[in-house]
Amino acid sequence: MKKKTAVFQFNGLFLFSYAAGAIGTTQMIPYLVEMGFEGTRKGIILSAMAISTLISQFLFGYLSDKFKGCRWFFLISFFVFFAADVTLFSFRWPQFWYLLAMISLTGGIARTWQGLEDTWVLQIDQTKPQYSRIHAWGALGWAIGSWAAASLLNWFDFPVIAALVFVTSTVTLFFAWRQQDAKRASGKRIRIADLKELLHNRAYVLLVLILLVLFGMGTADMYIVVDKILAIGGTSFHVGAKWGLQSLMEIPVLLAGDKLMKKVDPVILMLFASVMFGIRFVIYSWIQNPWWMIAAAVLQMVTFPIVIISSKIMIDQIISEKIKSSGQMAAMSVYMGLSLLIMPVFCSALSERIGYDAALLVVAAFSLAAIVLILLFKKARKALSLQA
């Protein structure tokens, strides 16, 4: 019964937290465009998310290891996200520095609570074997949140986003409050010096670089692809529909993920996802209709969810027990933080200079770098296992 209760509460937690995250995130670009922010200025505002991502993910990961738990740090980070997101969409103040501050806070802290949520599941014995299935509820929540926001914006203005975030966030905090915390092994508390172990782990460093490239492509999907949809006649509804379909496409892979990881080496799966990422962006560059751009989102099934579940397992396999949280969160702070810092401005500047289609082909070429790094990682992981 205890196991069923823990899984049920995590299912609810992921469903409502990801719905809350999707509602604002998927409408961020249409929101900025409506308030008159285009091109590089929009890219700078979106890049500001990287600062809070880099700081908050590393800090919360370190504190989670130091105090051997995730629950309280998830509650704190999610509440900050909740308050900032509601404020952002409640008060339409088109001031550059205000939007820079609020979006950096909401976007950056969202990545932090998502990372803590993942780590939380992986550290509870009853839920760790079902991580992929539980994450599928998050994908469902993202799809529901995306479509709800897009549909309601056809009849109401952007403050409706704040109302939706308020409702879904309140339910999220209820589930998080009732869930048990991860019970970690006792022992000496983590020190900053212990984190040097990560930097000396070649396999870990290579994996972070792989994820930086792939999440950079994922970030480009948030910006260049959305900008192109709006440029070829799409609306906020098309943007929301794209996000919703992508999330639904993740669910089959996430449901089968735990079994898939046991049958196929995660490295092979990530290699496959990298190839498909490149093909996906080539297809995006060919399409000139917003509805076909939405249809192309079905390729999410063979890209992002595979990267998510394989990366968590791969990181968990190559770092020691005492820095599990720090290893996961430090990696996320780098590959998410740097991709959020670089890609919005890079995508905006590149699109303005060479056009959306050519920019998408440039991003497609990133997959080649990921493939080379994955092959190097495979050798480094083998050398690490021989040392052990």
Side-chain angles (χ1 to χ4, degrees), residues 61 67 70 81 96 119 137 143 151 218 225 274 278 286 297-298 313 315 326 334 341 363 373 381 384:
F67 294 102
C70 294
F81 157 80
F96 178 83
T119 305
W137 285 90
S151 299
V225 177
S274 300
W286 292 341
V298 298
I313 300 301
I315 292 174
S326 295
V334 174
L341 178 66
V363 175
L373 288 169
R381 187 186 63 171
L384 188 66

Side-chain angles (χ1 to χ4, degrees), residues 94-266:
Q95 298 297 317
F96 178 83
W97 291 107
Y98 167 76
L99 292 170
L100 185 81
M102 295 305 296
I103 289 177
S104 68
L105 189 59
T106 57
I109 207 73
R111 272 71 180 179
T112 299
W113 61 253
Q114 287 168 7
L116 286 166
E117 205 170 29
D118 285 344
T119 305
W120 193 357
V121 173
L122 288 169
Q123 288 179 354
I124 293 181
D125 292 339
Q126 302 101 307
T127 57
K128 182 175 181 178
Q130 297 196 49
Y131 166 74
S132 184
R133 287 177 174 269
I134 292 171
H135 208 289
W137 285 90
L140 178 60
W142 192 276
I144 293 171
S146 302
W147 279 338
S151 299
L152 288 175
L153 281 174
N154 285 327
W155 291 283
F156 303 100
D157 205 351
F158 278 99
V160 75
I161 300 296
L164 288 172
V165 171
F166 181 87
V167 172
T168 51
S169 295
T170 301
V171 180
T172 296
L173 292 171
F174 170 78
F175 275 107
W177 184 261
R178 291 176 61 85
Q179 180 61 285
Q180 63 175 305
D181 201 353
K183 301 299 182 184
R184 305 272 299 284
S186 60
K188 69 174 185 178
R189 288 181 171 178
I190 190 74
R191 299 171 301 166
I192 293 292
D194 293 326
L195 302 183
K196 292 181 181 179
E197 178 184 326
L198 298 175
L199 296 177
H200 293 293
N201 186 330
R202 186 167 180 264
Y204 179 83
V205 172
L206 283 169
L207 184 52
V208 171
L209 290 175
I210 293 164
L211 294 171
L212 175 60
V213 173
L214 294 176
F215 271 78
M217 297 180 77
T219 305
D221 183 53
M222 295 170 62
Y223 299 121
I224 299 181
V225 177
V226 171
D227 284 340
K228 181 175 177 178
I229 289 173
L230 296 174
I232 61 178
T235 65
S236 59
F237 177 80
H238 293 91
V239 173
K242 168 194 176 294
W243 283 106
L245 180 60
Q246 283 187 187
S247 297
L248 287 178
M249 291 299 101
E250 292 182 4
I251 294 174
V253 174
L254 291 172
L255 289 175
D258 296 317
K259 292 182 179 179
L260 192 62
M261 288 295 123
K262 293 176 182 178
K263 294 182 178 180
V264 184
D265 186 346

